[in-house]
Amino acid sequence: MNALTPDSLTEKERSELMQQIKQEVAVANAQELLSKISEKCFKKCVVRPGTSLDSSEQKCVAMCMDRYMEAYNLVLKTYTARIQKEHDRM
């Protein structure tokens, strides 16, 4: 049985494989982001864990998650612009 190597794939198969890898990386990144947001906002907002969140904890968690996402999106936008600028120089 022959092992698959990049050279043994057609251009279409390589493209499909790269697309699949990109999707898997995007899913992993999203899962990591949600995990970090949950951890950081829970630590910040939930002082005495119980069976439910009170209204102030709910509001804190919601606002924390919103701010975290805003900051993440700003960093991502800036990083993407910088990468594009570097790419355009080449």
Side-chain angles (χ1 to χ4, degrees):
M1 183 172 207
N2 293 340
L4 283 178
T5 64
D7 293 335
S8 69
L9 300 174
T10 66
E11 188 63 35
K12 182 181 178 190
E13 290 170 330
R14 270 189 236 136
S15 177
E16 289 171 353
L17 180 60
M18 284 303 297
Q19 191 61 32
Q20 182 180 355
I21 291 170
K22 286 178 184 179
Q23 288 173 346
E24 289 176 12
V25 168
V27 168
N29 286 338
Q31 289 172 334
E32 182 179 354
L33 175 63
L34 287 174
S35 177
K36 282 183 180 181
I37 289 174
S38 298
E39 178 185 335
K40 291 183 183 301
C41 292
F42 185 85
K43 283 181 182 179
K44 179 181 189 278
C45 298
V46 182
V47 181
R48 293 179 302 279
T51 57
S52 63
L53 299 176
D54 65 30
S55 62
S56 65
E57 290 171 329
Q58 289 177 15
K59 184 176 180 179
C60 179
V61 168
M63 290 178 67
C64 176
M65 293 178 88
D66 287 347
R67 298 300 82 75
Y68 198 99
M69 285 303 299
E70 285 175 8
Y72 177 83
N73 286 330
L74 177 62
V75 169
L76 183 61
K77 181 180 175 182
T78 303
Y79 178 73
T80 302
R82 183 171 181 182
I83 293 295
Q84 185 64 46
K85 187 177 179 182
E86 291 294 321
H87 178 68
D88 292 345
R89 283 189 202 170
M90 293 180 173

